[in-house]
Amino acid sequence: MSVFDSRRLSLLIAVVFALSLAVVACAPEEAVDDDPIDEPVEEEPQRGGRLVIGYAEEPNTLDAHLTAAASAYFVMSQISDPMVDRDPETADFIPALAEDWDISDDGLEITLYLRDDAEFHSGEPFTAEALKATWDRALDPETGTVHTDGVLGPMKELTAVDDYTLLIEMERPFGPLLHGFTMAGYTHAIDPVALEEHGEDYGRNPSSTGPYRFDDWVSGEYITLVRNEDYSWPPEYYENKGAPYPDEVEIRYITEDAPRLAALEAGELDIARVPPAEVDMFMDHPDFEIYSYMTEGVTMSVWFNQDREPLDDVLVRRALNLAIEKDPIIAAAEEGHAIEAHGPLPPNMWGYWEGVEDISYQYDPEEAGKLLDEAGWVLPEDEEYREKDGETLKLSLYIQPTDAWIATSEMLQAQYRDIGVKVEIESFEWGTLMEYLSEGRHDMNLMGYGYGDPDWLYHIFHSGEAGVGVNWAFIQDPEMDELVEAQRYTVDPDERMEYAAQAQELAVDQAYWAPIYIRKNYIAVHERVQDFDINYRGTWLLHDVWLSD
Amino acid sequence: MTTYIAKRLLSIIPTMLGVAILVFFMLHMTPGDPARAIAGLEADAAQLEAIRESLGLHNPLHIQFRDFILGALRGDMGRSFRTRVVVTEEIFGRMPATIRLALAGMVLAVTFGVAAGVLAAKYHKHIFDNIVMVIAMFGVSMPGFWFGLMLIFFFAVNLGWLPTSGAGTWRHLILPSMALGIRAAAVLARLARSSMLEVMKKDFVRTARGKGLSESVVLYHHVLRNSLIPVVTIVGLQFGRLLAGTVIIEQVFSWPGLGSLLIRSLMARDLPMVQGIVLYMALAFVLVNLAVDLFYSVLDPRIRYS
C-alpha cells in the first residue's frame, strides 16, 4: 500500500459509512400537505379511477368451493353478493340477495325468497335454480370442496320451488347457517355460464353477481376487477345504490411487510393493512387515515395437551393460567396493540359470554404455586424447578417462528420459571407444526384464530376433532361435547347463545387453555380514498368508496 | 465436439432422474399435510379426508412416485394442489420473469464486476483499486434481502425514482436486478482483478510490451482474454447462485417469478408445484454449466472437446 496506506483506508471506510448514514438520515421527508384548508367538505362522489389495494397473501384460486384462503375470500366478496347480510352497527341479519327467509320451528326447513332483479356478470338472471346448482356443486363429494360445505352444514336437499324461491331441507338443524349465508366469499352463487365455459379453470375466471367483475390475474403480481355497470342491488346500508364509483380495483400482492409498507408510503397503494409494530409511522402521516378493529378471535393463547401428564390434571392447568401476566406479553409481542383475552371467544363475536370476565384467571403466582403443591409438584430446597416422584416439571411449548409467537413464548418461559415450571420452546414451520400438533407430540402450543361464529367452540373443544381437526388440546369431555353440539345444531339464536355461554364457562372452569390476548389490527387508507369504512368485525365497506383527484 | 455435446446432453438424463428422486422423497418425508394447508384450521376430519382423496394422496408412495416420473417424462407435472392450475403452465408462465431477472442480474454483475476488476488491476495500488475492493467487500458480505430493502427505501420511497415492487416495465427491473447482481458483481470484480494481476506477470505480456505494443492493446487484447477463463467458470457458478438468489429477491420485490412461487408452494406443501419448479431450475442449472464449458473453447482455442 504505497499510495494508499492503512490510515487512509480507514478514513475512506469512515467517510463511506458517514455518507451512507447521512444519506439515510437526510432522506427527504414525505411531501407534507401544504394546502392550509383541510376542512371536511361534503363532496359529490366522482366516478373513475383505479383503487389499488395492497395485500400480503395471493389467493390460491377464486373458485369459492376450492379455497379457504382469506385472500381469496376478499376478492370473491368483491365480485359476488351474500344471500343475507349483517347490519354494520348491530350485527343483526338483514336482507341481501335473499329479500326474506323462513326457518321452520324444527330448524329442518329453510326457505330463501330471492330478489328478482339481480343478474350474473354473463347477463344470465340470478335464480333459485342457479343458487341450487352452486350449492349442489359445493356439497358434491366429487368437487373436493375445501370449506364451503362446512359453512353450508348438513344440507339434505335443495329445491327451486319457483324462479326466486329456494327450499333447503336439512338433515339436522344447523345453528351457524344464517351466518354462513352472510359469507359471500364462500356461499355466493356461481355464474353458470362462466362455470360451463371455463370448467376446471373456473378458479382463474370467476364470475358471480357482485359490484365488480373479474378482469385479470397476473400470477404473483395482481388481480384486477372492473366495475359492473349493471349493478343495482347493493346492501341497504350503503348510500350508493348503483354501480361502484371506481372504474377498477387492483389488488396487488406484496408478501413481505417492509416492501408493502414502502409501496404504501411511496403512494403506490391506496389501502393496505399495517402491522401494529409499524402503525405509529402512519398514525401521524398527513397522507393516511388509520382504521382499527379487533380480531374476531383470540389472537394468542396457550393450549394444554390433556392427553399427556401432568396437563391432564386440572390443578396444573389452573396454575398455568394463574401464572400468566398478560400485559408484559402484550407489550413484548404486539407493542401494546392488543387487549387481554378472558375466554375462548372475543368480545366482538356474536355469542361471546361476558361472564368470562368475572371468572377468568387473574395473575397470581402465589396461588399458582399452591395449586401445584396441591397437585404434588413441589419445589425442593435450592432447586429452580418443581419435582414429583423424582421427575422435574418440564413442558414443551410448540410454536411457529413469527415475531409475536417468539416474544410470547419467551415471556411465558420466564413467567412459568417463576412458579418452578421449566418450559422448552420448540419452533417449527407452520405446516410441520400443524402435523406435530395433530399427532399430539406437544405438551403445550401457542395458537391464534379468527372466526365469525361461536361454532369455533365445536372445532377446538369437541372430542371428535382431537387428532384429526384442531382440538390440539385433546379435550375429551362428554359435557363439553354435548354443549358444543347443542350450539351447533340449534337454530334458535337465544338458545344457541345459552349453550355457547355454558361451553365458555366450562372451558374457563376446567382451564382447557389459557387465553392471552386479542390483537388490534390497522388499515392505512390514503387521503385520496373517500368514504371508506369498516364494520364492527373489520370487514371493509367499499361500495361507497370513490377517489378524489 | 458434436460427440462431446451429445454425451453431455445424455448425461443430463441420470442427473435429472437423481434430482427427481431426491425432490420427490425429500418432499414426501417432510412433515406437513397438504390437505390441512389448503383447508385451513376450520376444516374437520371428514373434509380433510375428502381433500386428500381428491389430491390422490391416498395412493401408496410407490404408485405416487411412478405417476410422478411417468408424468414428468411426458412433460406433465399434474395440477397444483393449492391453485389447481396445470403445473407446467404456471411454471412456463412465470419462468420468463425469473429468466429476465437472473439475466439482468448477471449482465449487471458481469458488466460492473469485470469492468471494476479490470480497472482495479490496471490501477493496481492506486486509490481506485482500494475503493473497488472495499465496495466489493461490502458487496460480498451484504445479505441480498437487506440490500434490496435499502434500495427500495432509498430509490423508491425517498427519491421516488423507481417503483417499489412488482414487474411489467424496465423500471421495475432495475432495483431487483441490482439487489440480485451485487454479490456476483463483487465476486467477479475480485476475481477479475486477481486473475488480471496474475496474467500481467506472465512472460508473454512482457514480450508483448517488448514488441512495443501500446499498453491498451497489451491489457485488453492479451491480458484480458487470458484472464477470462477463471472468470467464465465463476460466471457459470454464480449463475447457479443467482438462480437460487432469485428465491429471496423475488420475495422482497414481489417479482412474479418462480422463486416467489417456490416459497409459497413449499409453505403450502404443494408437492406437484415444488417438484416441477425444482426440476426445471435444476435443468436450467445443468444447461448453463454445459454452456459455460463450451464457451471455454471459444475463449481458449487450445481447449478442445472430444
Side-chain angles (χ1 to χ4, degrees):
Chain A
M1 275 208 181
S2 55
V3 183
F4 203 81
D5 64 26
S6 60
R7 269 194 6 236
R8 289 165 81 173
L9 177 69
S10 322
L11 182 67
L12 178 77
I13 294 174
V15 168
V16 169
F17 258 113
L19 277 176
S20 59
L21 286 177
V23 162
V24 175
C26 299
E29 292 282 327
E30 272 294 297
V32 176
D33 185 3
D34 52 11
D35 182 0
I37 304 162
D38 217 5
E39 292 166 9
V41 180
E42 203 56 43
E43 285 181 81
E44 274 297 301
Q46 299 168 17
R47 274 168 75 97
R50 165 183 281 221
L51 179 70
V52 186
I53 295 168
Y55 226 88
E57 187 78 359
E58 187 179 6
N60 51 345
T61 169
L62 295 176
D63 182 334
H65 302 162
L66 298 184
T67 180
S71 54
Y73 184 89
F74 174 74
V75 180
M76 293 184 300
S77 301
Q78 310 312 319
I79 59 171
S80 67
D81 294 293
M83 297 306 130
V84 176
D85 209 332
R86 279 183 190 266
D87 186 288
E89 305 293 328
T90 63
D92 290 338
F93 291 112
I94 55 171
L97 282 187
E99 289 177 314
D100 199 5
W101 54 91
D102 281 335
I103 300 174
S104 64
D105 290 342
D106 59 7
L108 291 175
E109 283 189 4
I110 295 111
T111 313
L112 295 182
Y113 303 98
L114 308 174
R115 30 187 324 152
D116 58 7
D117 58 347
E119 58 183 41
F120 290 109
H121 297 153
S122 64
E124 192 77 6
F126 163 71
T127 59
E129 195 53 55
L131 187 56
K132 169 183 156 55
T134 299
W135 288 350
D136 278 342
R137 175 179 185 262
L139 297 169
D140 183 351
E142 287 280 296
T143 311
T145 302
V146 163
H147 187 59
T148 307
D149 50 348
V151 176
L152 293 174
M155 284 187 178
K156 188 163 73 183
E157 181 138 21
L158 297 162
T159 313
V161 178
D162 60 40
D163 276 357
Y164 301 106
T165 310
L166 183 73
L167 173 69
I168 304 161
E169 289 167 82
M170 306 294 292
E171 289 191 12
R172 310 175 70 167
F174 188 57
L177 188 59
L178 274 189
H179 172 72
F181 290 160
T182 68
M183 303 177 83
Y186 295 131
T187 53
H188 65 258
I190 288 178
D191 189 334
V193 177
L195 190 60
E196 172 76 30
E197 188 183 340
H198 297 291
E200 274 199 282
D201 293 320
Y202 170 78
R204 291 247 152 185
N205 302 277
S207 178
S208 184
T209 56
Y212 288 96
R213 296 164 187 267
F214 172 81
D215 178 45
D216 193 16
W217 182 348
V218 176
S219 199
E221 256 191 288
Y222 59 79
I223 287 175
T224 49
L225 312 174
V226 293
R227 174 174 48 219
N228 176 8
E229 294 288 0
D230 303 326
Y231 191 74
S232 62
W233 46 91
E236 60 192 35
Y237 48 80
Y238 283 118
E239 296 274 318
N240 176 15
K241 303 296 177 200
Y245 300 117
D247 295 334
E248 290 182 322
V249 171
E250 174 182 330
I251 303 128
R252 196 180 299 167
Y253 298 103
I254 308 177
T255 313
E256 301 292 321
D257 283 344
R260 192 172 57 259
L261 298 179
L264 190 63
E265 212 189 336
E268 294 173 18
L269 304 176
D270 295 315
I271 309 175
R273 282 176 207 280
V274 177
E278 311 294 338
V279 75
D280 290 345
M281 189 169 94
F282 290 92
M283 282 284 191
D284 307 323
H285 201 297
D287 293 347
F288 293 96
E289 193 163 343
I290 296 289
Y291 291 78
S292 78
Y293 63 95
M294 305 303 297
T295 300
E296 208 178 8
V298 176
T299 327
M300 190 67 75
S301 51
V302 198
W303 297 18
F304 306 125
N305 182 351
Q306 280 137 68
D307 234 7
R308 293 165 80 109
E309 288 180 1
L311 295 168
D312 53 349
D313 185 343
V314 66
L315 294 176
V316 175
R317 297 198 301 268
R318 282 180 185 150
L320 293 175
N321 263 279
L322 288 165
I324 299 176
E325 193 181 7
K326 294 171 188 171
D327 274 348
I329 297 180
I330 290 172
E334 302 288 351
E335 308 222 353
H337 296 278
I339 59 165
E340 279 187 27
H342 299 285
L345 301 183
N348 57 340
M349 187 193 284
W350 181 88
Y352 173 71
W353 177 59
E354 284 180 0
V356 288
E357 288 158 36
D358 303 322
I359 61 166
S360 71
Y361 301 91
Q362 301 301 316
Y363 176 58
D364 189 346
E366 268 182 45
E367 181 63 23
K370 282 185 202 157
L371 289 180
L372 288 174
D373 286 338
E374 199 181 320
W377 292 96
V378 291
L379 198 59
E381 289 263 321
D382 303 326
E383 289 290 335
E384 197 176 358
Y385 298 112
R386 291 172 183 270
E387 288 178 7
K388 182 179 179 180
D389 305 329
E391 205 181 321
T392 306
L393 184 45
K394 186 174 76 181
L395 300 171
S396 63
L397 176 62
Y398 279 32
I399 66 164
Q400 63 167 342
T402 63
D403 291 347
W405 287 43
I406 292 169
T408 303
S409 63
E410 288 170 354
M411 294 296 289
L412 276 176
Q413 193 176 40
Q415 293 179 358
Y416 283 168
R417 189 193 300 125
D418 292 345
I419 58 161
V421 178
K422 185 174 189 180
V423 172
E424 288 181 342
I425 299 167
E426 296 192 43
S427 183
F428 304 96
E429 172 272 338
W430 182 240
T432 310
L433 177 69
M434 286 198 290
E435 176 147 338
Y436 287 176
L437 295 179
S438 295
E439 290 170 6
R441 295 185 181 205
H442 58 296
D443 292 319
M444 305 186 290
N445 67 285
L446 293 185
M447 194 49 63
Y449 76 91
Y451 205 72
D453 188 272
D455 193 42
W456 178 248
L457 297 170
Y458 178 89
H459 292 284
I460 52 172
F461 292 148
H462 195 275
S463 60
E465 298 292 310
V468 286
V470 286
N471 179 358
W472 288 320
F474 289 82
I475 297 157
Q476 312 266 353
D477 178 346
E479 191 186 348
M480 180 59 95
D481 282 355
E482 212 171 291
L483 289 171
V484 293
E485 278 176 28
Q487 70 74 31
R488 174 168 250 222
Y489 300 120
T490 306
V491 284
D492 181 68
D494 295 336
E495 254 181 78
R496 272 198 82 198
M497 186 84 107
E498 180 54 36
Y499 290 128
Q502 288 177 33
Q504 290 167 73
E505 185 175 8
L506 182 63
V508 175
D509 177 62
Q510 288 299 308
Y512 280 143
W513 49 299
I516 302 180
Y517 66 75
I518 299 157
R519 190 177 58 211
K520 282 184 196 158
N521 303 285
Y522 298 94
I523 306 164
V525 179
H526 198 276
E527 60 170 358
R528 67 177 160 260
V529 179
Q530 309 294 320
D531 294 338
F532 174 87
D533 210 351
I534 55 174
N535 70 8
Y536 68 100
R537 49 199 302 220
T539 306
W540 302 5
L541 304 176
L542 289 176
H543 199 63
D544 284 334
V545 162
W546 57 281
L547 299 166
S548 63
D549 298 330
Chain B
M1 186 76 167
T2 323
T3 332
Y4 173 78
I5 295 177
K7 265 192 204 161
R8 283 291 299 268
L9 285 175
L10 274 178
S11 77
I12 291 178
I13 297 171
T15 311
M16 292 308 293
L17 191 67
V19 172
I21 292 172
L22 268 179
V23 68
F24 180 87
F25 286 101
M26 279 168 74
L27 276 177
H28 280 80
M29 281 188 310
T30 310
D33 178 0
R36 170 66 75 195
I38 294 166
L41 290 185
E42 299 91 343
D44 58 30
Q47 280 174 305
L48 291 177
E49 208 48 27
I51 294 168
R52 283 189 206 110
E53 183 77 49
S54 74
L55 299 179
L57 287 168
H58 273 307
N59 295 334
L61 203 58
H62 66 276
I63 301 286
Q64 290 186 45
F65 182 66
R66 188 200 64 193
D67 292 349
F68 162 60
I69 292 290
L70 291 179
L73 286 175
R74 290 195 309 270
D76 172 14
M77 311 291 293
R79 276 183 183 260
S80 153
F81 284 175
R82 190 173 70 88
T83 63
R84 313 279 173 125
V85 298
V86 175
V87 166
T88 43
E89 270 177 27
E90 181 75 7
I91 289 179
F92 286 125
R94 292 238 195 177
M95 197 185 273
T98 294
I99 292 177
R100 204 157 64 233
L101 178 58
L103 281 181
M106 205 67 231
V107 167
L108 274 183
V110 171
T111 315
F112 287 97
V114 174
V118 168
L119 290 176
K122 186 177 175 185
Y123 299 105
H124 183 45
K125 295 187 178 173
H126 286 243
I127 184 163
F128 183 80
D129 183 17
N130 291 291
I131 292 176
V132 168
M133 285 306 103
V134 169
I135 295 175
M137 189 182 75
F138 278 110
V140 172
S141 37
M142 243 178 329
F145 70 91
W146 180 84
F147 185 58
L149 286 177
M150 290 302 110
L151 289 177
I152 291 176
F153 284 117
F154 191 64
F155 290 105
V157 178
N158 284 324
L159 295 175
W161 289 351
L162 294 164
T164 55
S165 56
T169 68
W170 63 269
R171 294 175 69 238
H172 287 94
L173 187 59
I174 296 176
L175 296 183
S177 55
M178 277 168 75
L180 183 65
I182 175 114
R183 201 192 136 83
V187 170
L188 290 177
R190 289 159 67 108
L191 188 80
R193 173 180 173 272
S194 61
S195 180
M196 289 276 289
L197 288 178
E198 202 171 304
V199 175
M200 276 177 182
K201 289 182 204 141
K202 292 268 166 77
D203 288 346
F204 73 87
V205 177
R206 201 177 312 131
T207 312
R209 287 206 175 102
K211 281 198 301 188
L213 291 179
S214 73
E215 186 58 22
S216 57
V217 173
V218 172
L219 207 60
Y220 298 117
H221 197 77
H222 293 274
V223 179
L224 181 58
R225 187 158 179 161
N226 282 289
S227 315
L228 280 184
I229 293 265
V231 174
V232 170
T233 310
I234 296 299
V235 167
L237 289 175
Q238 286 294 322
F239 193 75
R241 274 179 164 271
L242 222 67
L243 271 182
T246 57
V247 175
I248 301 295
I249 298 299
E250 287 184 5
Q251 190 79 353
V252 172
F253 287 92
S254 298
W255 187 261
L258 289 178
S260 47
L261 180 65
L262 179 64
I263 291 190
R264 192 67 202 82
S265 308
L266 209 54
M267 293 289 185
R269 299 293 186 272
D270 188 348
L271 308 181
M273 191 61 91
V274 175
Q275 286 160 358
I277 297 173
V278 172
L279 279 184
Y280 278 101
M281 280 208 169
L283 185 64
F285 188 59
V286 171
L287 290 177
V288 167
N289 269 340
L290 175 60
V292 167
D293 287 351
L294 295 179
F295 194 56
Y296 287 154
S297 62
V298 177
L299 279 180
D300 185 347
R302 286 172 303 178
I303 298 176
R304 285 273 175 272
Y305 297 112
S306 56

